[in-house]
Every structure is written in C-alpha cells, then in structure tokens.
Amino acid sequence: MPPFQSNKNILSLTEDLLVRIYEILVSESDRKSFRLACREFLRIDSLTRKHLRILRIEFLPVLLHKYPRLQSLDLSACPRIEDGVVSLLLSQVGPASNSLRFGNWTRGLKSLVLSRATGLRFSGLEMLARACPCLESVDVSYCCGFGDREAAALSFAVGLRELNMDKCLGLTDVGLAKIAVGCLKLEKLSLKWCMEITDLGVDLLCKKCVDLKFLDVSYLKVTNESLHSIASLLKLEALGLMACPLIDDVGLQFIERGCPLLKAIDVSRCQGLSSSGLMFVVRGHGNLLELNAGYCLSELSTALLHQIKNLKHLEVIRIDGARIPESSFQVISANCKSLVEIGVSKCVGVTNMGLMRLVSGCINLRVLNLTCCHSITDAAISAIANSCRNLVCLKLESCNMITEKGLCQLGSFCLLLEEIDLTDCCGVNDKGLEYLSRCSELSCLKLGLCSNISDKGLSYISSNCKKIHELDLYRCTGIGDDGLDSLSSGCKELKKLNLSYCNEVSDRGLGYIGRLEELCDLEMRALNKITGVGLESVAAGCKRLADLDLKHCEKVDDLGFWALAYYSRNLRQINLSYCAISDMALCLVMGNLTRLQEAKLVHLCNVTVEGFELALRACCIRIKKVKLLATLRFMLSAEILETLHARGCIIRWD
C-alpha cells in the first residue's frame, strides 16, 4: 500500500476510535509520541487527558487551558504554589463564572494533590475548594505550616471523600471539627503526625463522619478514649494506629466489640500493646485481611497464634521484631492458606526448618520479608523458590549465609520476581547474579555492600533484566566503568541508581550514565575519580534528573556545576556537602535550578559567607528546606533568615 494511502486511512479514523487507541497506551513516553505525531493526535490528547502532574509552574496556565477535562491535578512537584498564583489561575484561565472567571479545568476536577505546597495558605485553599464543585480527594500532606484555618478552608469542599493531612503540624481539634462538620461524606482520612489532635477531636470526627472506611491516626498521642470513639464507626475497613504510645490492650477491647467491617489494622510500634490486646482484635474480626504488628510484640504467644489460625481469609501478616517459636510456622502454614505477604524481619527464631514448613502451605505468597534473619541458608531459599512460584518481592538484607546456590533456585523457579533486596549479603557473587538474571521481570535490585560482585556480574543483569527501574550498588567496590557501560546499554528504563562509594567509577563511567535518559535519582557520594567533566556528561544526558547526591565528590570543579545549572532544570533535591564549589558556581546553581526545593550545603570550604548569602537570596522564593553549617546562623544576615522563614523554608543547622 502506498505511504500516502496509509496515512489517509489513519487520519480518517473517527474521533472515538482515536480516543480508544490513546487510552490503550499505558506509558507516558508512548503517549508523548502519540501527541507529537500530528495535530489531530495532539487534539485527541487534549480532549482525553484526565490526569496532569505539573513540573514547572510557569507552564501551568497554558496547560490548564489546553486540558479542559482534567479530573486529577498534581501540583506536588511545583516549587511554589501560592495564594496569588491560585487567584490568577482562577481569574484568567477559562470563561467567566460568578465574580471570578473560573476556568473549565475546575468544573470536572475530582482529585487535587498539594503535598508539600508550603507556600499555599487558607485563602488559596478556600478559593480552590469553592471553585471545584466536584472535588472528592485532596492531599495536603507534609504542608507542615497548615493548621486550623487551612482545615476550615478545606471544609468548603462539601463533597470531599478522601483527605490526607499527614504532618499538618498546626492542625488541632478545632480544625478537625471544621472538617468533620463540613465534610460529612468523608470516607478516607489520614492524620499521621498531626500531633495536636486529641481524643476530643477524634470523638467529634467519629460522630459526624459516620461513613469513614479508612482512618489513620498514627503517631498521635490519643488514648483508649479515641479507640472507644472509633469503635462506633460501622463502615470502617482500615485503621492505622502505628506508634501511638498511649493506647494499650484495654483500648483494643473496644475495637473487638466495634467496627464490624474491619479488614485491616496497623498497630506496629505501639509499645503499650501485648499479645492479649491483639487477641481481642483477632477474636472480634474473623474476616480480617491484614494484620500489621511489626515491632509491637516481644513474642508471638501460643494464645495469639491460636486466634490467628482462625483467620481463614488473612492475606497479610507482619510480626517483625518478635520472637517466634519454630512450631508457629507450621500452624500458620496449615491454617492461613490465603496469605500473600509475610513480614518476619529481625525476628528471633526464624530457621530453615520453620520457613520450609511455612512455605509448604502458603504457596500463594507474593511478598516475603526476611531482613536480618541471619540463620537462614540456601536450603530455605530453595524451599521458598520451589513452593512460591508467584513471588514478586523478596527481602533478604543481611542474610549472610545465602550464596549462588540459593540464587540459582530463585532464577529457576521465581520467574515473576520484580524486587529483591540482597543488601549486605556477602555470599552473593557474579555467578549468583548470572542465575538471578533469569528473572527478567526484575524492576528493583538492591546489592549494596555486596563486595564480591564485579562488572561481569552487572553485565549479566544488564543483558537480561531490561525492566530494572531501581538499582542500588552502594559500596560495591568491584563495580567500575565497564559495568556502567553494559548497564547503560541494557537497562534503558533505569530511574534510580546508587553508586555511592563505588571508588572505581571515573568520568568515563559517568559518560555512560549520561545515556540513561529516564534517570531521575542518582546518588554518587565520595566518587574520588570523577571531575567536572563527568558531571557535565550526566547533566547533559539525564534531563529528567530530580534528585542528585554529590556529597564528598571533592574533585568536581566549577565546570561540572556550571553544566548542572545549565542542563538540570528538573532538579528538586541536591546534596553538595563537602564539594569544592565556588561562590559563583553556587549562586548559579541555586539561582538557575528553578524547581529546586531542598539543598544540603554543609562544609563548602570554598564558599564565603557572602556566597551563601547571595545563593540563598537567589532561591529564597522557592526553596523549602536547606541544610547549613551551624556557625552560619550567626554570620548570615537577619534579613535573609527572616525571608526564608516567612516563605516557609525549613533550615536545618548541622
């Protein structure tokens, strides 16, 4: 068929068919290729796109005008979203409506992510809440300055069903009351680290928001009284109580008699609880699907085990840090056939025989955490591989007795494996990596402190594991430039890479890293052979780089930092501590990187007080967190410190 006729057929497809084709495309790179093909495809992209994550705030007005049918908007990556910006967007983007010219983009918006939007305050939040009548989900987590006024602003979103306020440190019972009264349809609420919330606020919440299905009050100083209130929630399915220091077994008795639909509970790190308290929960909820009691129990008692075996539908159990009798594994294996995840990290009593008994019955396991179970050997790994063919995640950090024999079994039978943590497993060698490379679905591989692997082993992984997104080679001293050459050729989808203390890596190796166009997180502390030339290669090639750690890279000169300032416009976090950067280069980096939110600038010996002052002035509008040497507290001007504080920037003095 002639090329012109083929093109005519494609463009003659109906809009409905083109939309269906677009929706089949999963990856963002494929969708980007689609919309760049022709104007008609670009129009389909504009009409169809429902989710948008903004990386640079200057493009926000244009993008909101371009995509009028958004249902989800993520602004968490923008360095600064302020009340003035919100006002401008609502008044300029779109047709007139009421007193403000609310844009079309607000009318269908259901989800809004404002995590870490520290520049936003109650005025901007209220404008958004009023302008988005369909809003159902809001995330303002880690907005540490948010308090009761911001909560009151959110209460205008009366249709809200999901709200995440983790680490909104100024929130008190007053603000929570505003939300409870205004957002009666709430089904999911997370209040982790909202330390000012008390039993009074939780009680009112439970009385007003009776449709709650998910509630997380982890790290709060609530008492058993709050559990008494929570027990009245008839629709609650998931409850987070992690590290609540004031609750005890008496409080869990209330949960036993309430929350009839409870399916998941997290009481990890609750030091006041014992096996007796967990028995109340288990006994009262036979349909429990998830039980997280990590670092909560000193020992898995026989009485508790007797109750757990009745949980026929249990899918997830985490009892990390407890002493486990070997016989317990047989009981769990024989009775909890539905388990897909087990966590026994740092547990005393985990043996080869115990694990063999466990996996003989729990053949549907997909996630198994054996971190710091020092007694297990290849025999246990062989049993796991033979029984658990659907395993996707296996954590074996500090299991020092595992060798290539165990990895051979994993490579033979666990072909669906996506994540494996072999950190500090000194028995892992190149031959083991060759066996492991048969797991072609691997996306996350952690090999930190594996001193017996080399470039040869890395080449096996690079050749067969094309889907790897995350690779940790921390202190793998046998890895050098040749290994990075094979890595850059084979693992094109790599997004996160840790090369810290890989002392054999030089500028040539960084040249290969520059080929990884998808890389967004790179750690390379103390690489003593790299210079500005290598850093320039990374900056020029890895345009998506968002997090960069250069601590103790003392031979990198201003040439590299200038390249960083010019190319790496997407950087959000950077660690330059102990680097040989100059005043001018630091000012250029801090001023040019317009998306930079966090910087660690400790022990910069070539930077003067004036250099720090100018650099901080260059970024004070957008920077959210900065780490400085403690002595600078008394040398920097009061004006710059006050400006940073007023902008919501957190300064950590080292």
Side-chain angles (χ1 to χ4, degrees):
M1 183 180 290
F4 72 88
Q5 189 173 351
S6 174
N7 291 338
K8 182 179 178 181
N9 287 339
I10 292 173
L11 294 175
S12 65
L13 292 175
T14 65
E15 181 177 295
D16 181 59
L17 286 175
L18 288 174
V19 168
R20 291 186 182 185
I21 293 171
Y22 179 86
E23 289 175 345
I24 292 172
L25 302 176
V26 177
S27 72
E28 180 56 35
S29 58
D30 289 342
R31 292 195 168 193
K32 182 178 181 180
S33 299
F34 179 91
R35 62 178 173 265
L36 292 177
C38 64
R39 290 184 178 180
E40 178 62 12
F41 286 10
L42 181 62
R43 187 182 71 83
I44 294 297
D45 174 69
S46 297
L47 291 175
T48 310
R49 182 183 285 263
K50 292 181 171 56
H51 173 75
L52 188 62
R53 184 171 185 260
I54 303 293
L55 301 180
R56 299 179 66 171
I57 194 171
E58 56 267 33
F59 299 136
L60 187 52
V62 174
L63 290 171
L64 291 179
H65 180 76
K66 183 179 180 180
Y67 300 111
R69 300 185 182 180
L70 288 178
Q71 292 183 2
S72 173
L73 179 61
D74 186 346
L75 300 175
S76 61
C78 287
R80 277 292 167 194
I81 294 291
E82 298 177 337
D83 295 348
V85 173
V86 172
S87 177
L88 189 66
L89 291 173
L90 295 177
S91 61
Q92 290 188 355
V93 183
S97 174
N98 298 330
S99 60
L100 292 175
R101 295 169 60 207
F102 292 132
N104 286 334
W105 64 274
T106 64
R107 294 178 181 174
L109 199 67
K110 294 182 178 180
S111 174
L112 184 59
V113 180
L114 297 166
S115 179
R116 293 182 168 84
T118 55
L120 199 61
R121 286 294 181 265
F122 67 93
S123 177
L125 281 176
E126 183 174 336
M127 284 188 282
L128 285 170
R130 290 181 180 275
C132 302
C134 298
L135 202 59
E136 295 179 355
S137 174
V138 174
D139 182 351
V140 290
S141 58
Y142 297 94
C143 294
C144 299
F146 278 20
D148 294 339
R149 298 183 77 179
E150 285 72 26
L154 288 172
S155 70
F156 287 102
V158 294
L160 213 57
R161 296 182 184 275
E162 298 183 8
L163 177 59
N164 188 340
M165 298 196 73
D166 292 349
K167 220 164 190 177
C168 291
L169 301 180
L171 182 66
T172 72
D173 292 337
V174 175
L176 186 57
K178 290 283 188 179
I179 290 171
V181 173
C183 306
L184 298 176
K185 296 180 181 180
L186 264 184
E187 295 178 0
K188 184 175 181 179
L189 178 62
S190 187
L191 299 168
K192 286 191 289 189
W193 292 293
C194 296
M195 307 300 291
E196 300 301 317
I197 299 294
T198 70
D199 295 333
L200 185 64
V202 174
D203 183 54
L204 181 59
L205 175 73
C206 295
K207 288 177 179 176
K208 293 293 183 180
C209 299
V210 294
D211 291 331
L212 276 174
K213 296 179 180 178
F214 175 97
L215 179 61
D216 196 336
V217 292
S218 297
Y219 301 96
L220 272 59
K221 294 180 180 179
V222 293
T223 70
N224 294 334
E225 288 300 315
S226 284
L227 295 189
H228 183 266
S229 302
I230 291 170
S232 67
L233 295 171
L234 301 180
K235 297 182 181 181
L236 194 69
E237 297 178 4
L239 176 60
L241 298 168
M242 180 188 292
C244 290
L246 302 181
I247 65 172
D248 57 30
D249 296 342
V250 175
L252 291 189
Q253 277 187 291
F254 297 126
I255 302 299
E256 177 190 10
R257 297 189 291 269
C259 304
L261 300 181
L262 193 66
K263 295 178 181 178
I265 186 168
D266 185 351
V267 291
S268 56
R269 302 185 186 276
C270 290
Q271 302 299 323
L273 299 181
S274 68
S275 293
S276 300
L278 285 180
M279 284 172 57
F280 296 135
V281 175
V282 174
R283 190 166 57 204
H285 301 88
N287 291 320
L288 206 63
L289 299 179
E290 182 175 337
L291 176 61
N292 189 348
Y295 307 104
C296 170
L297 304 175
S298 58
E299 183 175 7
L300 181 61
S301 69
T302 304
L304 176 58
L305 186 64
H306 181 74
Q307 295 294 334
I308 288 176
K309 75 177 185 179
N310 295 323
L311 299 176
K312 303 301 181 183
H313 304 291
L314 191 66
E315 296 179 355
V316 178
I317 183 170
R318 303 186 190 102
I319 45 178
D320 310 288
R323 180 180 295 276
I324 305 177
E326 190 173 278
S327 59
S328 302
F329 292 105
Q330 180 61 48
V331 175
I332 294 173
S333 174
N335 294 279
C336 302
K337 300 289 187 179
S338 300
L339 280 172
V340 295
E341 179 179 346
I342 296 177
V344 289
S345 68
K346 299 184 180 178
C347 285
V348 178
V350 180
T351 63
N352 285 343
M353 186 57 67
L355 287 175
M356 289 176 187
R357 290 172 176 169
L358 177 68
V359 299
S360 65
C362 300
I363 59 174
N364 296 315
L365 277 182
R366 293 174 59 82
V367 180
L368 182 57
N369 188 349
L370 299 172
T371 299
C372 295
C373 293
H374 304 294
S375 300
I376 66 172
T377 67
D378 292 329
I381 302 302
S382 179
I384 292 167
N386 277 282
S387 297
C388 307
R389 304 293 178 92
N390 294 322
L391 203 65
V392 295
C393 176
L394 180 59
K395 298 184 179 181
L396 298 169
E397 180 180 348
S398 298
C399 295
N400 297 313
M401 300 175 72
I402 294 170
T403 69
E404 63 191 64
K405 294 179 181 178
L407 297 183
C408 178
Q409 295 297 304
L410 290 174
S412 299
F413 299 112
C414 295
L415 300 182
L416 300 179
L417 200 63
E418 297 176 7
E419 177 181 350
I420 185 166
D421 188 348
L422 296 167
T423 303
D424 200 20
C425 292
C426 56
V428 175
N429 56 21
D430 290 341
K431 192 66 177 177
L433 293 185
E434 182 180 9
Y435 293 135
L436 192 63
S437 68
R438 298 172 187 166
C439 301
S440 58
E441 297 297 314
L442 270 181
S443 62
C444 178
L445 176 59
K446 297 184 179 181
L447 298 168
L449 297 167
C450 291
S451 55
N452 292 319
I453 65 172
S454 68
D455 292 338
K456 184 178 181 181
L458 191 56
S459 68
Y460 293 131
I461 297 295
S462 304
S463 298
N464 299 314
C465 303
K466 305 292 186 181
K467 297 181 180 180
I468 284 190
H469 288 172
E470 180 178 350
L471 180 62
D472 187 351
L473 298 170
Y474 175 80
R475 290 191 186 273
C476 292
T477 53
I479 299 297
D481 296 337
D482 292 338
L484 298 183
D485 185 10
S486 60
L487 184 69
S488 64
S489 300
C491 300
K492 295 292 187 180
E493 297 182 16
L494 197 64
K495 290 180 169 58
K496 186 174 183 178
L497 177 62
N498 189 346
L499 293 172
S500 295
Y501 303 96
C502 295
N503 299 320
E504 295 304 311
V505 174
S506 69
D507 287 339
R508 181 166 70 91
L510 293 194
Y512 300 133
I513 295 300
R515 300 175 185 170
L516 298 170
E517 296 180 359
E518 298 296 317
L519 196 67
C520 55
D521 189 328
L522 178 60
E523 290 187 47
M524 46 185 192
R525 292 187 179 191
L527 300 190
N528 296 320
K529 292 185 177 181
I530 68 169
T531 68
V533 174
L535 183 56
E536 183 178 10
S537 300
V538 171
C542 305
K543 297 293 180 59
R544 293 178 179 268
L545 204 60
D547 297 344
L548 180 62
D549 192 336
L550 294 168
K551 186 177 181 179
H552 281 296
C553 291
E554 297 171 1
K555 292 185 179 179
V556 175
D557 54 21
D558 282 355
L559 174 67
F561 296 119
W562 290 336
L564 203 65
Y566 182 77
Y567 292 111
S568 300
R569 298 302 178 91
N570 288 317
L571 267 180
R572 293 197 302 269
Q573 297 184 40
I574 192 169
N575 188 349
L576 299 176
S577 298
Y578 296 91
C579 287
I581 191 171
S582 68
D583 283 357
M584 184 180 295
L586 182 63
C587 290
L588 198 61
V589 167
M590 300 300 284
N592 275 26
L593 301 182
T594 55
R595 290 189 56 217
L596 196 65
Q597 299 180 25
E598 182 175 344
K600 295 179 180 178
L601 308 173
V602 177
H603 293 288
L604 303 184
C605 298
N606 295 340
V607 179
T608 65
V609 175
E610 290 75 16
F612 278 111
E613 185 92 18
L614 291 173
L616 292 172
R617 288 183 184 277
C619 67
C620 65
I621 294 177
R622 58 185 176 274
I623 198 77
K624 294 182 178 180
K625 186 183 295 186
V626 64
K627 184 178 180 181
L628 300 168
L629 207 59
T631 53
L632 285 173
R633 185 195 298 231
F634 308 104
M635 299 179 181
L636 293 171
S637 69
E639 179 190 353
I640 188 60
L641 294 179
E642 289 172 3
T643 300
L644 289 169
H645 178 72
R647 292 282 183 173
C649 177
I650 298 172
I651 304 177
R652 180 181 168 189
W653 302 103
D654 186 68

